[in-house]
Amino acid sequence: MRALSINSYSKDAKEIDIHLEANTVYTFFNSILIDELATINEHVIYTDAEALSKNKKAYFIGEQLVVGDALILGRDSFEEVEATIPLKDLESVIKYELNDFYTNVLELLKTTDINFYRAFEVDANGQKLQLNTEWVLYTFNLADDKTKDYFIAELQKSIDAKDDVAEFMNRMAALAIRSGAAA
């Protein structure tokens, strides 16, 4: 079956041929903790959920932050199928350069057990929103430099105090929602 893989260290995307079995994805990453991302239409991107703590490199596929190697398969409803995106199209949406905000935040977060894609609930004027850490980072990255510096400083304090980083991200998401509503 045609699949695509991305090696975060060599910055190499390539086509691979895999035989899909129940444990193929887990074997690919040598891990049982796998994240699934639906960034590419009719495809699924699998990543190792522990990639950050394993000090893997981060990059973007489109606007989606991805950490570590990736395995990309096609998706038809809930079933994995052969990847159809051309390799050249995939390569055109990968960006390996991270700005200072992402670099600094990821350096701090690698000592934690945070999962970028695990959803948490935030109340927005009585409406419950499902957000995640990746959304928080994306949102604060759009902010001005003073707000970015505030975020990094508060994250550092939270980590130093051994606070729950997931709770910190939830608070920052709520702050971002409130400040967006006030704007």
Side-chain angles (χ1 to χ4, degrees):
M1 171 184 291
R2 179 185 182 270
L4 300 170
S5 70
I6 301 170
N7 182 309
S8 63
Y9 280 109
S10 67
K11 300 178 181 177
D12 183 37
K14 64 182 179 181
E15 290 185 20
I16 60 174
D17 186 35
I18 62 171
H19 180 69
L20 195 59
E21 296 179 4
N23 65 345
T24 300
V25 173
Y26 305 108
T27 303
F28 183 86
F29 294 105
N30 197 26
S31 176
I32 59 170
L33 298 173
I34 305 297
D35 285 320
E36 285 185 35
L37 311 172
T39 306
I40 303 171
N41 191 31
E42 298 178 355
H43 288 76
V44 61
I45 302 170
Y46 291 106
T47 63
D48 179 355
E50 298 177 307
L52 184 63
S53 63
K54 292 176 181 175
N55 207 25
K56 300 285 184 169
K57 300 287 185 188
Y59 54 97
F60 290 94
I61 298 178
E63 298 293 320
Q64 176 77 61
L65 178 66
V66 178
V67 180
D69 299 342
L71 176 65
I72 302 167
L73 297 170
R75 169 102 7 121
D76 183 12
S77 296
F78 295 104
E79 188 175 323
E80 283 91 4
V81 296
E82 192 164 290
T84 58
I85 184 171
L87 180 59
K88 186 171 250 174
D89 290 356
L90 174 64
E91 290 173 327
S92 74
V93 296
I94 298 173
K95 184 177 115 187
Y96 293 103
E97 296 77 34
L98 300 179
N99 64 25
D100 289 341
F101 174 77
Y102 275 107
T103 300
N104 293 333
V105 169
L106 293 175
E107 184 65 28
L108 291 172
L109 290 176
K110 76 180 184 182
T111 63
T112 72
D113 63 353
I114 195 74
N115 181 295
F116 291 121
Y117 314 106
R118 186 171 298 127
F120 51 80
E121 197 169 89
V122 176
D123 182 56
N125 298 323
Q127 180 183 6
K128 302 292 184 189
L129 299 177
Q130 295 292 314
L131 302 174
N132 60 33
T133 296
E134 195 268 340
W135 180 90
V136 173
L137 299 183
Y138 176 83
T139 301
F140 275 87
N141 181 57
L142 297 175
D144 59 51
D145 288 340
K146 185 176 178 180
T147 303
K148 289 178 190 177
D149 291 343
Y150 167 79
F151 181 90
I152 292 169
E154 291 301 308
L155 175 60
Q156 181 68 63
K157 287 179 197 174
S158 181
I159 291 170
D160 290 347
K162 300 192 184 330
D163 291 341
D164 182 353
V165 178
E167 281 297 316
F168 169 82
M169 292 298 171
N170 191 304
R171 288 192 312 274
M172 292 294 110
L175 178 64
I177 294 294
R178 282 194 308 272
S179 67

